[in-house]
């Protein structure tokens, strides 16, 4: 059994115990072990053979015995007895957003529902609404949850996949015979989630490359191994595939493997219009003559096009724009000069203002806004109104220390409360150099209500940026059900900037909404929302999302020269 399979077994036990009504600390123990199995970095079967199961974080005597039985026999008596009481299919129901173990137990015990299909049928048939604690609204929510489940199953967040892909790339480049290597697929296009990791190597002789790829640490299973393509599954469940091609054909291969499929279909059509057939091997003329492309520029050039950035390759108008010479001049990471949404120990950040400032400077930033959470009402750990002056004094002292190289701003991330009001009064907001307003709670309010709430913030003249506008969390939480048309129209009118939050669990606004926003003349902000100096590096994901949205530097207030940015902030209330 792989780490991933073992982890899934323990998660299944936890889920079934939850539904059975077991106390939380028991089920938490199983979940903790599942997590540590997936981050262990080595094969649990090896640890077992060394007799060191108890050294794995979270593994006590009872769990070690279960692991031993599973690794020895592939089965577990405890789980079999549990499944005899609680049908295993019930665990699937926990994946429905906002549906917890108590409700699942209720549906099971009162209506005999044990599968997603039965749940859907019961919800559609109006059978859930009459149960205790249920109603027509909560029934409709379950249908919406089932729908969202269908949309997002089985994908890995970019923030998890990307660092793994980069490590694999570094490893590949050290393999003898590899002259070039690249990320491909949705990973290279920097999609918010990826189905799997695609990599490409240029090598005259691919056998050694393939062998190195399938024998890298963490591989649980080889799904396929050939001369031009191999694929593996890692102990944590992630899958990767590697293509190898001779260096002279690397360009067409990379173009093919980068996708998207939709982009490739359109590009092949364009090639046909020009009498060429395009494959991962070459461009081929009608007379059979091959045009080999060692790099992607040559592929696009052979079709009369400038090179198209991978983030644009979605058949969303990029080939037409390339033909017309109107590709966007996309923003790049080096162009971002300001971090306008960050936290310190004054709220839930892990570093002091001084540490954050030094990190921002080391990062090459020229402006850092410290925007701690508001602590007006009910938000625990936020910046209390009576502490604002003391925080200002600390910011001034750090400003003295760092000098002109970095401009520090005192800001706030003000909470948009459930009733739509802001967590600081206008008089308090007026004291800050910059105000980010965000939703964190009551995201599941009905569309009209949650939209009206956000509109209040968009129209408040003290608010400069709307932080992570929809509140989505990747991969598990859908954003609020906002009327995005209304939000964008109001933002265009009020002049507020909308954030692309670079935290890879957010990437909010997403590429689609951000592209619409710039089309309406709305300013964007790209912020990391750093709670730790290390988070500043996550700008990469925010920039990538912006690039997928066709964003150019002038659309983004973080790229403006500091004086222009400060003048804009001063021009607002
Ligand atoms: P993913 O993995 O679901 O996030 O999305 P991709 O885009 O990485 O897709 P994947 O992994 O199935 O395939 C990687 C690339 O290979 C894809 O972006 C384009 C290319 N490709 C795969 N299958 C086809 C196909 O049937 N037609 C064309 N034109 N290209 C394909
Ligand atoms: Ca892929
Ligand atoms: Zn924040």
């Amino acid at each position: 059994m792989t780490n991933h399979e073992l982890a899934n077994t323990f998660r299944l036990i936890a889920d079934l115990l939850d539904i059975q009504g077991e106390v939380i600390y028991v089920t938490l123990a199983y979940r903790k072990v599942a997590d540590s199995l997936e981050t262990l970095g080595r094969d649990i079967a090896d640890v077992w053979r060394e007799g060191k199961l108890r050294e794995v974080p979270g593994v006590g005597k009872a769990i070690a015995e279960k692991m031993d039985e599973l690794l020895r026999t592939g089965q577990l008596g405890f789980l079999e007895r549990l499944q005899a009481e609680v049908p295993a299919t019930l665990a699937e129901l926990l994946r429905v957003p906002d549906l917890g173990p108590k409700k699942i137990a209720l549906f099971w015990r009162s209506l005999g529902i044990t599968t997603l299909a039965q749940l859907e049928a019961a919800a559609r048939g109006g059978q859930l609404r009459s149960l205790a604690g249920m109603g027509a609204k909560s029934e409709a929510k379950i249908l919406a949850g089932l729908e969202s489940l269908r949309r997002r199953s089985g994908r890995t967040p970019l923030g998890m996949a990307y660092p793994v892909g980069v490590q694999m790339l570094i490893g590949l480049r050290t393999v003898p015979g590899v002259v070039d290597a690249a990320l491909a697929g949705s990973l290279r296009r920097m999609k918010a989630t990826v189905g799997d990791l695609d990599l490409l190597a240029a090598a005259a002789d691919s056998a050694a490359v393939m062998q190195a790829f399938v024998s890298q640490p963490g591989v649980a299973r080889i799904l396929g191994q050939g001369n031009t393509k191999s694929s593996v599954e890692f102990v944590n469940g992630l899958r990767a595939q590697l293509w190898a091609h001779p260096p002279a054909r690397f360009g067409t291969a990379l173009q093919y493997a980068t996708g998207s499929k939709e982009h490739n279909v359109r590009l092949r059509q364009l090639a046909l219009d020009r009498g060429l057939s395009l494959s991962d091997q070459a461009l081929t003329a009608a007379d059979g003559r091959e045009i080999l492309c060692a790099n992607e520029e040559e592929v696009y050039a052979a079709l009369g096009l400038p090179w198209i950035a991978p983030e644009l390759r979605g058949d969303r108008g990029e080939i037409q724009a390339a033909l017309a010479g109107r590709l966007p001049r996309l923003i790049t990471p080096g162009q971002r000069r300001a971090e306008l949404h960050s936290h310190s120990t004054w709220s839930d950040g892990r570093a002091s203002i001084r540490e954050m400032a030094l990190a921002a400077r080391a990062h090459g930033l020229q402006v850092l806004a410290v925007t701690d959470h508001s602590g007006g009402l009910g938000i625990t750990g936020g910046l209390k109104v009576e502490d604002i002056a003391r925080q200002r004094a600390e910011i001034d002292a750090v400003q003295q220390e760092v000098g002109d190289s970095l401009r520090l701003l005192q800001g706030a991330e003000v909470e948009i409360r459930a009733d739509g009001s802001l967590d600081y009064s206008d008089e308090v907001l007026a004291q800050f150099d910059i105000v980010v307003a965000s939703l964190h709670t009551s995201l599941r309010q009905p569309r009209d209500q949650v939209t009206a709430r956000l509109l209040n913030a968009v129209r408040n003249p003290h608010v400069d940026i709307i932080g992570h506008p929809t509140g989505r969390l990747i991969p598990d939480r859908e954003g609020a059900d906002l009327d995005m048309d209304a939000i964008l129209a109001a933002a265009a009118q009020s002049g507020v900037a909308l954030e692309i939050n670079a935290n890879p669990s957010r990437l909010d606004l997403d590429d689609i909404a951000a592209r619409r926003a710039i089309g309406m003349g709305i300013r964007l902000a790209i912020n990391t929302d750093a709670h730790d100096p290390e988070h500043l590096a996550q700008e990469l994901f925010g920039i990538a999302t912006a690039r997928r949205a066709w964003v150019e530097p002038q659309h983004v207030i973080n790229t403006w020269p500091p004086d222009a940015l400060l003048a804009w902030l001063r021009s607002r209330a």
Side-chain angles (χ1 to χ4, degrees):
M1 282 184 107
T2 69
N3 296 36
H4 184 53
E5 288 165 340
L6 215 54
N8 279 346
T9 304
F10 285 119
R11 287 208 181 96
L12 175 63
I13 292 174
D15 287 347
L16 297 181
L17 289 175
D18 269 337
I19 293 166
Q20 202 181 33
E22 178 61 274
V23 290
I24 187 87
Y25 71 86
V26 172
T27 60
L28 274 180
Y30 286 108
R31 293 189 200 285
K32 179 151 187 284
V33 167
D35 289 345
S36 63
L37 279 167
E38 285 185 337
T39 52
L40 194 58
R42 52 181 308 221
D43 200 335
I44 189 68
D46 293 337
V47 180
W48 171 62
R49 276 188 285 271
E50 292 162 18
K52 291 185 175 158
L53 285 180
R54 294 288 296 274
E55 289 173 21
V56 175
V59 175
K61 180 161 176 290
I63 288 182
E65 282 169 9
K66 292 190 177 74
M67 276 187 184
D68 177 69
E69 184 180 338
L70 279 163
L71 289 164
R72 229 173 348 97
T73 68
Q75 291 173 337
L76 184 61
F78 174 80
L79 180 57
E80 280 158 26
R81 290 189 293 281
L82 181 60
Q83 283 176 320
E85 287 176 40
V86 189
T89 50
L90 282 171
E92 295 256 306
L93 274 55
L94 283 167
R95 290 167 45 225
V96 180
D98 303 312
L99 188 59
K102 289 213 178 75
K103 282 271 147 63
I104 292 170
L106 172 74
F107 301 159
W108 169 41
R109 297 211 160 98
S110 50
L111 298 173
I113 290 171
T114 57
T115 64
L116 285 168
Q118 290 168 351
L119 179 68
E120 179 157 3
R124 287 200 192 286
Q127 294 165 351
L128 303 181
R129 60 183 72 184
S130 52
L131 298 174
M134 291 289 297
K137 260 191 189 167
S138 39
E139 191 177 69
K141 239 165 128 179
I142 286 177
L143 282 172
L146 285 164
E147 181 53 38
S148 99
L149 189 61
R150 260 195 289 280
R151 277 198 300 271
R152 56 145 219 254
S153 52
R155 299 185 63 84
T156 303
L158 182 65
M160 277 164 70
Y162 190 78
V164 177
V166 168
Q167 277 311 311
M168 286 172 51
L169 196 59
I170 291 170
L172 265 180
R173 292 201 166 119
T174 65
V175 176
V178 171
V179 297
D180 202 356
L183 301 178
S186 50
L187 192 62
R188 182 164 181 239
R189 303 197 312 279
M190 301 292 272
K191 266 192 94 162
T193 64
V194 304
D196 63 4
L197 280 64
D198 300 290
L199 288 99
L200 203 67
D205 169 21
S206 63
V209 188
M210 291 305 177
Q211 193 49 43
F213 178 71
V214 301
S215 50
Q216 64 185 306
V219 169
R221 229 196 319 260
I222 299 171
L223 305 169
Q225 181 174 0
N227 271 330
T228 55
K229 187 175 155 187
S230 296
S231 48
V232 297
E233 183 175 313
F234 291 97
V235 287
N236 62 8
L238 205 59
R239 291 180 172 202
Q241 55 186 333
L242 173 71
W243 283 274
H245 287 267
R249 298 181 189 271
F250 193 65
T252 39
L254 180 58
Q255 196 291 315
Y256 176 85
T258 298
S260 68
K261 271 176 202 148
E262 293 76 10
H263 174 89
N264 288 358
V265 165
R266 196 166 282 273
L267 200 65
R268 277 203 303 271
Q269 187 55 51
L270 185 73
L272 287 177
D273 295 346
R274 290 170 170 36
L276 296 166
S277 100
L278 171 61
S279 76
D280 58 337
Q281 300 291 323
L283 281 152
T284 310
D287 60 9
R289 187 178 47 91
E290 277 193 333
I291 307 168
L292 301 191
C293 301
N295 61 53
E296 272 189 335
E297 282 79 358
E298 294 172 12
V299 181
Y300 286 97
L303 301 174
L305 299 176
W307 180 78
I308 299 176
E311 295 93 332
L312 294 177
R313 299 184 198 171
D315 190 25
R316 294 194 291 145
E318 71 280 8
I319 291 177
Q320 295 87 331
L323 282 168
R326 277 203 288 272
L327 281 174
R329 285 188 305 277
L330 295 177
I331 185 170
T332 59
Q335 291 170 332
R336 186 173 163 275
R337 310 175 192 230
E339 173 57 65
L340 300 175
H341 180 174
S342 74
H343 297 270
S344 75
T345 46
W346 286 89
S347 67
D348 59 352
R350 282 188 285 278
S352 66
I353 291 172
R354 182 174 181 276
E355 289 167 317
M356 292 300 287
L358 296 179
R361 197 169 62 173
H363 216 78
L365 293 169
Q366 296 166 21
V367 177
L368 172 68
V370 180
T371 58
D372 277 305
H373 292 284
S374 59
L377 238 205
I379 309 295
T380 49
L383 183 68
K384 296 264 175 301
V385 173
E386 55 270 29
D387 287 337
I388 293 173
R390 283 203 299 133
Q391 192 202 41
R392 171 74 76 174
E394 183 174 322
I395 289 174
D396 289 345
V398 176
Q399 180 70 74
Q400 283 269 314
E401 182 187 342
V402 298
D404 290 341
S405 58
L406 180 74
R407 285 294 297 264
L408 286 172
L409 303 180
Q410 185 183 32
E413 181 177 14
V414 66
E415 184 66 22
I416 305 169
R417 295 181 194 148
D419 67 1
S421 64
L422 297 181
D423 196 37
Y424 286 142
S425 68
D426 283 358
E427 297 74 63
V428 171
L429 291 176
Q431 300 174 32
F432 292 101
D433 304 323
I434 181 169
V435 173
V436 180
S438 314
L439 298 170
H440 293 97
T441 58
S442 305
L443 291 172
R444 301 269 77 91
Q445 286 174 338
R447 187 178 178 87
D448 289 352
Q449 198 178 351
V450 73
T451 301
R453 230 173 122 193
L454 203 63
L455 285 176
N456 260 346
V458 168
R459 293 183 180 132
N460 185 311
H462 296 284
V463 172
D464 305 302
I465 299 174
I466 302 294
H468 45 75
T470 77
R472 76 160 170 177
L473 289 180
I474 299 167
D476 283 331
R477 189 172 83 193
E478 299 251 319
D481 183 18
L482 293 171
D483 178 348
M484 197 48 86
D485 291 335
I487 303 291
L488 294 178
Q493 204 180 31
S494 78
V496 78
L498 300 181
E499 183 177 76
I500 295 178
N501 192 291
N503 181 324
S505 321
R506 293 196 181 273
L507 303 181
D508 177 16
L509 294 179
D510 67 14
D511 48 355
I512 309 285
R515 187 170 175 196
R516 291 186 60 202
I518 57 168
M520 295 170 69
I522 296 167
R523 297 176 185 85
L524 297 177
I526 302 176
N527 293 319
T528 67
D529 197 356
H531 285 66
D532 182 301
E534 282 190 2
H535 294 165
L536 291 171
Q538 294 181 341
E539 77 163 348
L540 166 76
F541 301 110
I543 300 280
T545 303
R547 290 168 63 87
R548 290 179 55 82
W550 297 48
V551 170
E552 304 191 2
Q554 73 276 9
H555 298 131
V556 178
I557 63 174
N558 309 63
T559 68
W560 295 354
D563 287 339
L565 175 65
L566 295 177
W568 178 72
L569 288 171
R570 272 194 302 271
S571 76
R572 303 183 59 78

